[in-house]
Amino acid sequence: MLHASRSLVRCSSLDHQLRHSSTKHVFACVLGSGVAGSSVAYHLTKRNIKDVLLLDRASGVASPTGTSFHSPGLVSASHPAHRYKPILAHSIELYSKLEAETGVNIDFQQTGTIRLATNETRLAEFKKYVSRDYYKEGDVCKTTLLSPAEVSQLAPAVDHTKVLGALHTTNDGTISARALTQALVVGAKNGGAQVVDGAIPREIRYDKEQGNWIVVLEDGTVVTTRNLINAGGIWANDIARLSGHDLPVVVVEHQYAVITPNKTPANTPSIIDHDSTFYVRKSGDDYLFGGFENLEKTVIREDWYKNGVPTEGSKSIKADFSRLDNAYKRACELVPELQGAKVDTRAAVFSMTPDGYPLVGPYDKNYWMSTGFLDGVSSGGGIGKYLADWIVDGEPPAELFDTDASRYERWGDRKFFTERSRETYSMYYNWSYTDRLAGRPTDRISGIYGRLKKDGASFSFRNGWEVASSFNMGVQNESYLPTLIREYEMVTNKCGVIDLSWKGKIEVKGKDAEKLLDYAIASDIPPLGKISSGVMLTRRGGILSPMMIFHHDRQRSAFILLTEPERESRDLYWLRRAAAEKQLDVQVGLVSEYLASLALVGPKSREVLSALTKSDVSDEGFPQKSTRMIRLGPVGVVCARSSTSTGQLSYELFHNRAETTKLYNAVMSAGREHGIVNFGQAALNMMRLEHGYRIWGKELTLDTNPYECGLGSLVDFDKKEFIGRESALELSKQEFKRRLALITFDAEEGVVLDDRYVPSGNEVIRIDGQEARVGQITSGAYNVRLQKPIAFAWIDASVGPNER
C-alpha cells in the first residue's frame, strides 16, 4: 500500500505539472534527459522553439540508474572520422560558455588530452592523424605530435621512458557529466522548455490523420507532439518497442574505478593508451580510471534486450574489476603514481551500436533518434545542435552519414549487432584497424561472393555489403600497389568484370513517378532508353545526393536511381517526404537486395558482349549513355552503357540477384579469349580519378554545392520548380573561397613508391616551406599513365595553379 501511495503522489504531481503548463500539444517531445536528450531540448530552444517537452523516467536528471551519471566526463576533440570533428568542436565551444549562461558549475577543465604511443605502429597512426588534422587560426582545438620529452613536461605523471611519443589535443579535457546534464536542462528551461521527471511512457502511437505522435504516460496523461525524439539511452529500445520499432543497439557493461593515490595528483591532461585501451583523468584529489575489456571479457546484456531493461539500470550492475586487470597493470607501468593506490571499483552500462557511432536522425515519420552513444559527453553538445537544426530546417545541416539512424535497416540482425558491438567495444581506441571481421559476412553478399573469394578477392565492408577491393592472383610476395597496377593494366588494355551489386538502388514507380523526380532532382530526367547523371539538392543548395537515373519499363512510370549504400536510407526518406509534400501517387522503395549488377569494362568489353547476344551493340545501335533490355546468354538484363565513372568503354548489367552466378559464368566464359579478369573497387578508383570523376562521400557531400564542385551543368534551371532551386540560383552567381582541383605528386629522388606514399584522403596541403594549411585531399590513387600519385583536393582560391 505504501508503494501505491507513493505512485499516486508522483502521478498526481506529474498530471498537475502538465495540466497547468502552457501547452499540451507540443512541437517536440524528448524522451530521456541525459546529455543527449537535454542537449536536443536545449538547442531546440536556441532555435526559438518554445513548445518542447523533456520527459525522463527517473526522479531527477543524471540519475545513477542511467548512463550520464557514470560517464568519465572525457571531452575529446580527436576522432578518426574527419567529418565528426566539427561536432566535437561545437561541444567544446558550448561547454566553455555553458556555466556562465546557466550558473551551473560544470567543472569543465580544458587541460587537453594525450594519447600515448608505446610502439611504432601507434606512433605511425598518430603521425598519419596529424597529417590529416586540418585546422586554421581561431579553431577551438589543435592536435600535435609530442616527443617523449614533451610528454614528460606536459604530464609528469607519465613515465616518458616507456613511450615513443603522444598525440596531444589542446583545449579539450574533462567535465562533470552530471553537472553538464543539469546545466543543459536549466538552459532548456530558460529557453521555454518544460521538463518533467518521473514520466514513464506506457504507449506510443502515430496519428496518421493529424500527423502527430501520441505518447501515453503511465498515469494516463496524454502528450501530443509533432516530433518525437527518442533519447532514452539504455532504455531507448524499450521505448522504441512501444511504437513497434526495434533498434540496432546493445547494452554493454563498463568497469571503472575511482583511484586514490598516495599523494594528491598534479594537474595533468587526460591520458589515454590506445593499446591497452585504458583512460585515466584527474578528478579532484583522485584519478578516474576505466577501460574497454578485451573481446572475451566484454559483457553484453542480451537478457535485457529480451526482457527489458530493469528500473535499476546501472545500479544493478556489480563491479568486476578483474576484467580490467591487464589494462590496470599496464596503467600502473605507464603512470607509476597508480601503484599501491586505493581502488574503489564501480560499474555501469552503456548503450551502443555495432560501429560505435550513435543513431541520429529520422527513424520514421517525425520520429527522431539520438541514442547509442559511447562518447555522449564529447559529442552530445554538437549532436544536439545537429539534430535540432535538422528537425527545424527539415534537412541535415552537415554531412554525417556515419550516424544515420536507419543504416542497419533491412540487413542487420541480433547476431550481427552483438558480435560486431563486442568487437567494436573491445577495440574502441584502435583507430587503424578498420577492416573488422566480426559478424561478417551478413546476408548482403552477391551471388558470386564465394567465387570471388576463391579467386583471391579481399573485401571491404560497406553498409552490410561485402565489396571486392582487389584480387591476389597467386603472385608470390606481391605488395598491394603492384597488385592494383596489374589489375588496372589488364582492364584498360583488355577487359575486366567488377561486381557492383552493393550499390544502392531505389525504385520510383507509379502514375506520378516522373513528377516526383522532376521535383526532387535538380537535373533533367532522362528519356526512355537513356541513363544520365543527376543530383538532389537540399533547400540550401547543398549536394544531398549525386546519382545515376534510368527507366526500367516502357511506360515511363518506373525509374531506378543508383546511389551509395551508406546513403540509401537517407535518399529514400528524402524522396518519400517530397512525395508526401506534393501528395503524389507514387511508390518509392529499395530494390538493392534483389537487383544485382555486374560491370564489364575495357576496350574488349564490346567483343565479349557481342559473343553473348544477338542484339546490336555497335556504337550506332547502342550509343553512349543509353540502356537496352537484352539477353546475355541465359540471363535477361537491363544493360546500361556509360563511361562516366571509368573513362573506359563500359557496360553495366542489371539483373535478378538469383541469376548473378549464371551471368558471371557466361561473361567469364565469353571473355576468356579476350583476357578478361576480375577487378575490384581499388582499381575502379584509379580509373575514376584518372578520368576526373567526383564521387559522393569524398568530393561530393552535403557540405559542398554543385558550383564549387564543377557540377553546375547538372542543375537544370529550365525546370520551373525543384528542391533547392532558389538557393542554387544564388550559388551559381557566387565566387568561392576554395576550388576542387586534380593534383599530382612528385616523389623525392631515390624514393621507391609504394602505397604508403599514395594519398587516400584528408591529408592536409601546405605550400613548400610554410606551416599554413591551404587545402585538403578528398581522395587519391596511383596514376599508372603518369607514374605518380594523383588526388582530388580542395585548395584555397588564393593559391595559384602552379604553386608547389
Side-chain angles (χ1 to χ4, degrees), residues 410-411 443-446 463 465 500-507 560-569 572 589-597 655-657:
R410 292 170 295 278
W411 63 271
D443 290 338
R444 278 193 154 185
I445 55 175
S446 82
N463 204 41
W465 287 102
L500 297 177
S501 299
W502 50 270
K503 285 278 190 180
K505 305 170 194 76
I506 297 174
E507 182 182 54
I560 294 293
L561 313 181
L562 302 179
T563 180
E564 300 296 325
E566 298 87 354
R567 204 183 61 226
E568 60 185 10
S569 292
L572 187 70
L590 284 173
V591 294
S592 308
E593 310 303 324
Y594 67 82
L595 183 62
S597 169
H655 60 280
N656 189 312
R657 182 180 175 185

Side-chain angles (χ1 to χ4, degrees), residues 12-21 194-197:
S12 175
S13 173
L14 171 62
D15 186 61
H16 179 269
Q17 290 178 66
L18 286 173
R19 186 183 296 120
H20 290 83
S21 61
Q194 303 172 73
V195 181
V196 181
D197 299 330

Side-chain angles (χ1 to χ4, degrees), residues 117 119-130 145 432:
N119 55 59
E120 292 291 347
T121 300
R122 199 63 60 203
L123 186 63
E125 175 183 85
F126 291 161
K127 286 179 179 177
K128 186 175 183 179
Y129 184 93
V130 171
L145 196 64
S432 295

Side-chain angles (χ1 to χ4, degrees), residues 117 279 284 302 324 399 435 534 578 622 626 641 644 651 752 755:
Y279 58 82
E302 276 300 273
L324 296 180
E399 188 60 82
D435 188 24
F622 197 169
S626 60
R641 180 185 170 189
T644 304
Y651 300 92
V752 178
D755 55 285

